[in-house]
Amino acid sequence: QVQLVESGGGLADPGGSLRLSCAVSETIRGVYIIGWYRQRPGQERERITYISGRGDDTFYLPDVKGRFAISRDKEKNMLYLQMNALKPEDTGVYYCNVEGAYGSQEYAYWGQGTQVTVSS
């Protein structure tokens, strides 16, 4: 059973930085994208960034572009999100996500989330 576990969340000052990690239990085949979602309090979960399974394409929401950076370590089955210049609007629960397909069978995996709070 594939499991994703996020860590690295916490409290940060505006303008500060945090680095989130997502540990994936095993190598996953047929990956389309690996990314991060943010769910602000009282809001819908939104995709903020991803990297393609091939590593040849990266997406960022405009409000995080230039501040956040996604990266991966395939050998360690790890996904990271470096968050700089944090804003109060970044407060929320962050989830890592893997989407893909094996043959015609599509899949999506989610972690439990890690809380990020940006406040002075």
Side-chain angles (χ1 to χ4, degrees):
Q1 189 87 312
V2 173
Q3 294 183 337
L4 281 62
V5 180
E6 302 95 338
S7 62
L11 179 64
D13 292 327
S17 298
L18 287 171
R19 183 173 175 83
L20 306 185
S21 299
C22 174
V24 183
S25 63
E26 61 198 84
T27 299
I28 304 172
R29 306 299 182 186
V31 175
Y32 294 155
I33 59 172
I34 309 173
W36 292 90
Y37 281 69
R38 176 179 64 199
Q39 186 168 27
R40 291 164 165 160
Q43 308 266 254
E44 294 293 323
R45 191 179 303 184
E46 62 182 342
R47 177 186 284 153
I48 60 171
T49 182
Y50 68 71
I51 186 168
S52 67
R54 290 173 55 87
D56 59 352
D57 187 38
T58 304
F59 163 83
Y60 294 93
L61 273 184
D63 70 341
V64 306
K65 188 175 182 180
R67 300 190 298 120
F68 293 7
I70 189 171
S71 61
R72 67 199 295 202
D73 187 331
K74 289 185 176 181
E75 293 186 2
K76 297 180 180 179
N77 288 334
M78 296 290 294
L79 180 72
Y80 304 100
L81 182 65
Q82 179 66 47
M83 304 188 295
N84 299 321
L86 284 164
K87 303 175 180 179
E89 306 90 86
D90 296 319
T91 294
V93 180
Y94 285 71
Y95 300 87
C96 60
N97 161 260
V98 181
E99 300 178 4
Y102 183 78
S104 61
Q105 179 65 55
E106 296 183 320
Y107 60 78
Y109 301 112
W110 297 88
Q112 295 293 312
T114 185
Q115 176 70 43
V116 170
T117 302
V118 183
S119 177
S120 60

